[in-house]
Amino acid sequence: MQTASASEAYIDFLLALRLAEDGSKPEALHRLAESLRIQSQDNSASGLAFQLLTEQRANSRLILRGHTGVITHAAYSPDGSKIVTTSADHTARIWDAYSGRQLRPSLQHAARVFTAEFSPDGRRVVTGSEDGTALVWDIETARPIGTPMYLKEGIPLAHFSPDGKLVATLSTDGKVRLWNAETGQPVSPIIGYRGDAVSVAFSPDSAHAVVATSENMADILDAKTGAHLPNPMRQNNLVLTAVFSADGNTVLTASADHTAKIWDARTHLPTGFSFSHGASIEAAAFNHDATRVLTTSLDHTARVWDAKTGEPITPPLQHGAGVVRGAFSPDGNFVVTTAVDRATRVWDATSGEQVFLPIRTPGVASTAVFSPNSSSLMVSEGTTVQVFDIPPTGPTPTWVADLAEYASTQTKYNAHVPDLEKIKRLRLQLLASKDTDPWSTFGRWYFTESGVRPISPWNTITLKQYVDSLIEVGDKDSLQYAAELSQDHPDWVIRIAALRKALGGNPSGTSVLDGTRAGIQKTPSTLAR
């Protein structure tokens, strides 16, 4: 049961959330400061304060730009240092996850590229395309390895096995095949069903693959031969997702019959737990240690469940339309959900509270995935990929409330009067601090001068480096954006103006790697600096 003070802090948080969603962010910060003063720990107000404070100071959000067609998928490398994206422009591209620069020439297919994934060692990428081929690429040379894995239909899914030795593909006509990842040669026949295969995933030991099918069952295959194991796992309607737990002992399925179930991976029998929604469950996922389950449903909700008891941990995570996908952060503290209402939301995986404001995109996001260290969230939609910083999860220092209160006063029309002496002392304290915890790192970032401040709290590239990278790309859009970012630095503006003038004679306005644009788009701050 909540105490009176905890209830008061929660009310302040809810008011702040409403104010921020309505655009009254200075007043929202004031409410967040009040909430954090009442209850500094285990308070969702700290996450929203982090977001609004970051917006106030950020030079730009990291955005990958360069694809000329809609982005179909995006994924991190296992160490989080790189990103691979795929697009309707017939390419996959590899990017530096910290600077947003394209690292290699584009990986070319003859048609739309549906999917890409890094190998477990991070040295290769597998792509699947509408042209009916999957290819494994060496990311250092940007050249294919082995022969193309060819199917007659497009390949919307291609996955490496955890040991990196195999690739599983799923074609648009609902067929599965397993391949040698080094040679590109098949290790199984084409595996078809009376209905369609919907998804395919490997077991952690790479010995098996589980296939979700429209035959109302999940089928387990021997990964060395493609042979069907007996006793498939049956539900009462289409099975839309099937995945192994991290220890390989269980399988989680999600079905259009409104339920998700956990099965014994050895016997293929249900463990007894069923998770229910009011409509089709489009996806289900385990957290890192399989103690929790996330389900997303067309009933407009997602939910986090206890995998051992089958009981809900969170209340329904509400969207305005069907929820089509979701994922846990690698550390298990957060979940992200994407819905047909074109909103991507981040939630506390225990309380079910929104961590910060919804990420709204012109269309439904094609990807929403956390970085391997859980510090960032990558969202792709249209022709761009945005990277958002995720709030710290450790104890919230008391000074965060003071900083939120000060930040709430940084508009001309705000009636609150800041305690400037307190903020000056806080600034000196944080800039002198050698502490490496996330909140101290954030505080130092907030008070660092704009010219040398990284573009976001968990990044290392500075505004100057950012602008220089745009100048190096050198196309019209990149130079225009560099000029926008340089408004407070006249010497930068003069240099960029000369480059833009020199570029004026180039009709195409391009001067980049393999003719593509790999820049970063500015997201303006809502609050005054």
Side-chain angles (χ1 to χ4, degrees):
M1 182 178 295
Q2 283 190 330
T3 64
S5 59
S7 296
E8 188 177 347
Y10 183 60
I11 290 170
D12 277 329
F13 162 68
L14 292 179
L15 287 171
L17 186 61
R18 175 63 62 85
L19 287 164
E21 287 180 337
D22 291 343
S24 301
K25 294 183 179 180
E27 188 58 34
L29 281 162
H30 176 69
R31 286 288 184 177
L32 292 170
E34 294 295 318
S35 180
L36 289 168
R37 288 195 178 104
I38 296 170
Q39 180 183 341
S40 61
Q41 305 308 315
D42 299 320
N43 186 346
S44 297
S46 63
L48 182 57
F50 172 88
Q51 182 190 20
L52 298 185
L53 289 168
T54 300
E55 281 186 7
Q56 187 185 65
R57 273 292 189 263
N59 301 312
S60 174
R61 179 175 299 127
L62 185 67
I63 297 184
L64 313 181
R65 296 179 66 245
H67 280 293
T68 57
V70 170
I71 292 172
T72 52
H73 188 68
Y76 279 102
S77 61
D79 66 0
S81 66
K82 299 178 183 66
I83 292 168
V84 61
T85 57
T86 63
S87 170
D89 65 9
H90 302 190
T91 71
R93 306 185 187 207
I94 298 169
W95 314 78
D96 184 294
Y98 306 112
S99 69
R101 295 180 61 187
Q102 188 175 331
L103 295 175
R104 303 287 182 269
S106 298
L107 313 180
Q108 298 282 342
H109 274 269
R112 174 171 41 171
V113 187
F114 288 125
T115 188
E117 177 181 281
F118 283 96
S119 60
D121 63 8
R123 296 177 180 177
R124 295 167 294 159
V125 162
V126 61
T127 55
S129 171
E130 191 177 34
D131 65 12
T133 62
L135 291 168
V136 174
W137 307 77
D138 183 308
I139 66 168
E140 289 302 318
T141 64
R143 292 180 178 176
I145 299 171
T147 59
M149 294 169 275
Y150 177 72
L151 294 169
K152 292 181 179 180
E153 303 294 332
I155 301 176
L157 289 177
H159 296 305
F160 279 107
S161 58
D163 63 8
K165 295 179 180 180
L166 299 173
V167 167
T169 59
L170 174 67
S171 58
T172 52
D173 61 352
K175 293 181 173 60
V176 170
R177 198 165 200 183
L178 305 174
W179 311 78
N180 183 303
E182 291 292 335
T183 66
Q185 294 300 309
V187 299
S188 80
I190 295 175
I191 301 164
Y193 296 88
R194 287 193 299 272
D196 289 334
V198 181
S199 73
V200 59
F202 282 102
S203 60
D205 63 2
S206 304
H208 299 98
V210 61
V211 182
T213 78
S214 63
E215 288 185 27
N216 304 356
M217 70 175 188
D219 186 29
I220 293 186
L221 308 174
D222 183 313
K224 292 181 179 178
T225 64
H228 303 267
L229 272 62
N231 192 26
M233 297 164 283
R234 296 190 179 278
Q235 295 207 221
N236 295 320
N237 207 327
L238 315 180
V239 177
L240 301 171
T241 301
V243 293
F244 283 93
S245 58
D247 60 11
N249 291 331
T250 56
V251 171
L252 173 65
T253 59
S255 172
D257 70 6
H258 304 190
T259 68
K261 294 184 178 181
I262 296 178
W263 309 76
D264 185 296
R266 182 178 59 85
T267 66
H268 308 173
L269 296 175
T271 61
F273 299 128
S274 182
F275 313 103
S276 296
H277 278 264
S280 172
I281 298 181
E282 297 295 285
F286 282 117
N287 68 341
H288 62 288
D289 60 3
T291 57
R292 295 182 178 187
V293 166
L294 171 67
T295 53
T296 63
S297 172
L298 295 184
D299 69 3
H300 298 195
T301 71
R303 201 155 196 176
V304 178
W305 310 80
D306 188 309
K308 304 301 181 184
T309 67
E311 295 297 317
I313 291 174
T314 66
L317 310 179
Q318 191 73 46
H319 277 263
V323 187
V324 292
R325 66 179 65 90
F328 282 97
S329 60
D331 62 13
N333 291 316
F334 304 110
V335 296
V336 60
T337 56
T338 299
V340 180
D341 63 3
R342 296 177 292 180
T344 296
R345 299 175 188 264
V346 180
W347 315 81
D348 185 292
T350 300
S351 70
E353 295 295 342
Q354 288 192 65
V355 173
F356 51 60
L357 298 177
I359 300 165
R360 300 194 183 277
T361 49
V364 179
S366 58
T367 306
V369 61
F370 291 98
S371 61
N373 65 1
S374 302
S375 67
S376 301
L377 174 71
M378 177 169 59
V379 177
S380 66
E381 193 281 328
T383 59
T384 62
V385 174
Q386 301 184 70
V387 179
F388 300 82
D389 290 319
I390 297 298
T393 56
T396 307
T398 55
W399 57 258
V400 175
D402 295 332
L403 185 55
E405 184 63 52
Y406 165 74
S408 75
T409 68
Q410 300 306 290
T411 57
K412 293 179 181 180
Y413 55 83
N414 198 286
H416 303 294
V417 179
D419 185 339
L420 294 179
E421 289 304 314
K422 178 186 285 187
I423 293 302
K424 287 178 181 177
R425 291 193 298 272
L426 176 61
R427 177 179 180 275
L428 293 174
Q429 170 194 331
L430 288 170
L431 290 178
S433 172
K434 302 297 183 183
D435 293 337
T436 57
D437 65 279
W439 278 113
S440 296
T441 301
F442 168 74
R444 280 195 297 275
W445 171 83
Y446 184 90
F447 284 114
T448 299
E449 292 297 325
S450 65
V452 294
R453 184 170 57 232
I455 59 171
S456 64
W458 312 142
N459 211 313
T460 56
I461 186 171
T462 65
L463 180 61
K464 178 65 164 61
Q465 293 168 325
Y466 215 4
V467 169
D468 285 345
S469 71
L470 291 167
I471 290 173
E472 183 179 342
V473 172
D475 69 321
K476 180 180 178 181
D477 290 346
S478 296
L479 291 177
Q480 180 177 342
Y481 178 46
E484 293 173 7
L485 291 177
S486 303
Q487 291 175 4
D488 295 334
H489 303 274
D491 51 332
W492 303 359
V493 172
I494 293 171
R495 178 188 175 197
I496 294 165
L499 292 170
R500 294 176 73 183
K501 183 177 180 180
L503 191 66
N506 181 353
S508 65
T510 58
S511 157
V512 292
L513 190 67
D514 71 305
T516 64
R517 292 194 297 272
I520 302 160
Q521 177 175 311
K522 182 178 180 183
T523 299
S525 170
T526 304
L527 303 178
R529 284 181 170 77

